[in-house]
Amino acid sequence: AQSVTQPDIHITVSEGASLELRCNYSYGATPYLFWYVQSPGQGLQLLLKYFSGDTLVQGIKGFEAEFKRSQSSFNLRKPSVHWSDAAEYFCAVGDWGSRLTFGEGTQLTVNP
Amino acid sequence: GAVVSQHPSRVICKSGTSVKIECRSLDFQATTMFWYRQFPKKSLMLMATSNEGSKATYEQGVEKDKFLINHASLTLSTLTVTSAHPEDSSFYICSADPGTSDSYNEQFFGPGTRLTVL
């Protein structure tokens, strides 16, 4: 069965600093990988996804992620964090039938 | 586009009563909808997958008689928590899959429903 690990439960960065959120997955075939962001009172919003092709994918709000098969990782990055980026971030792997398995999430705090 | 709504956003009920949560895709048709449960500071746990016009597929460990799912139309799925107890208190989230080729495996999520059972 597939699984997703987000090693960092909580990360704090200063506004303007760079950000990297880690995600490792376990999946038997070529994975479909996603990053979602969850803000209070709002549904999960898709930041980006990887299905195939270029291993560096660009998403919304200035986020990008790189798929590294050899490391089973799909880390999320942003060069300069904004205060509005404070939220919970979830990495997920999808399988047949669109079933998603989520990681435990990383809570991002942004200091002014 | 691709908006999913849930109703109600919050509900408080007494132990032993049943609660129905609605999930609607507002601007697209969803061949498949999913129901998740999220505990505080925890990940989303898939409870069941529902396809319009057929019985829901429940994940292992989820009681199908307690969590009744009905996907009556391509824009509406309902989750009924029957004979709710305090341990059923949680945040329930639905998502909808348009099933189109250009959005393969992509789900659009509702804002969630906070259920508190007293």
Side-chain angles (χ1 to χ4, degrees):
Chain A
Q2 65 269 25
S3 65
V4 178
T5 301
Q6 293 180 246
D8 305 305
I9 297 174
H10 192 183
I11 283 183
T12 300
V13 298
S14 299
E15 190 169 17
S18 63
L19 171 71
E20 182 171 37
L21 302 182
R22 297 183 290 165
C23 172
N24 293 97
Y25 68 90
S26 174
Y27 189 66
T30 300
Y32 300 105
L33 296 164
F34 306 81
W35 273 100
Y36 286 89
V37 59
Q38 184 182 35
S39 299
Q42 299 182 27
L44 273 75
Q45 182 181 23
L46 179 67
L47 290 175
L48 47 78
K49 59 187 178 184
Y50 171 78
F51 287 169
S52 63
D54 193 346
T55 56
L56 183 63
V57 294
Q58 302 296 321
I60 62 172
K61 303 184 179 184
F63 286 94
E64 66 177 27
E66 186 171 11
F67 170 60
K68 293 185 177 180
R69 184 186 298 275
S70 61
Q71 300 177 18
S72 298
S73 69
F74 188 56
N75 294 347
L76 181 72
R77 299 194 294 252
K78 186 169 185 177
S80 179
V81 171
H82 189 263
W83 63 266
S84 61
D85 292 324
E88 186 88 21
Y89 290 81
F90 291 96
C91 180
V93 60
D95 66 358
W96 62 269
S98 298
R99 294 170 72 249
L100 291 178
T101 300
F102 286 86
E104 293 286 317
T106 298
Q107 179 70 45
L108 174 65
T109 298
V110 181
N111 288 334
Chain B
V3 178
V4 176
S5 70
Q6 281 184 242
H7 178 80
S9 57
R10 291 177 179 270
V11 58
I12 300 173
C13 69
K14 293 183 179 180
S15 185
T17 61
S18 294
V19 174
K20 180 183 284 188
I21 302 169
E22 292 187 348
C23 176
R24 294 182 184 271
S25 55
L26 299 184
D27 49 4
F28 66 98
Q29 293 184 329
T31 54
T32 306
M33 287 185 170
F34 302 86
W35 287 95
Y36 295 86
R37 183 172 179 176
Q38 186 179 29
F39 293 96
K41 306 295 184 183
K42 289 291 186 181
S43 180
L44 282 75
M45 181 192 77
L46 178 64
M47 299 174 65
T49 302
S50 74
N51 293 290
E52 186 264 340
S54 63
K55 290 184 178 181
T57 301
Y58 290 82
E59 295 298 306
Q60 191 173 8
V62 178
E63 299 177 62
K64 61 179 68 176
D65 294 331
K66 165 163 277 295
F67 299 101
L68 300 179
I69 292 172
N70 184 276
H71 194 156
S73 75
L74 287 173
T75 60
L76 173 65
S77 177
T78 60
L79 168 68
T80 301
V81 183
T82 62
S83 186
H85 290 283
E87 58 265 29
D88 298 323
S89 298
S90 193
F91 194 54
Y92 293 89
I93 301 173
C94 75
S95 69
D97 182 356
T100 58
S101 60
D102 60 349
S103 64
Y104 180 75
N105 229 321
E106 180 172 349
Q107 299 175 27
F108 298 94
F109 286 81
T113 296
R114 173 75 59 194
L115 170 63
T116 302
V117 184
L118 303 178

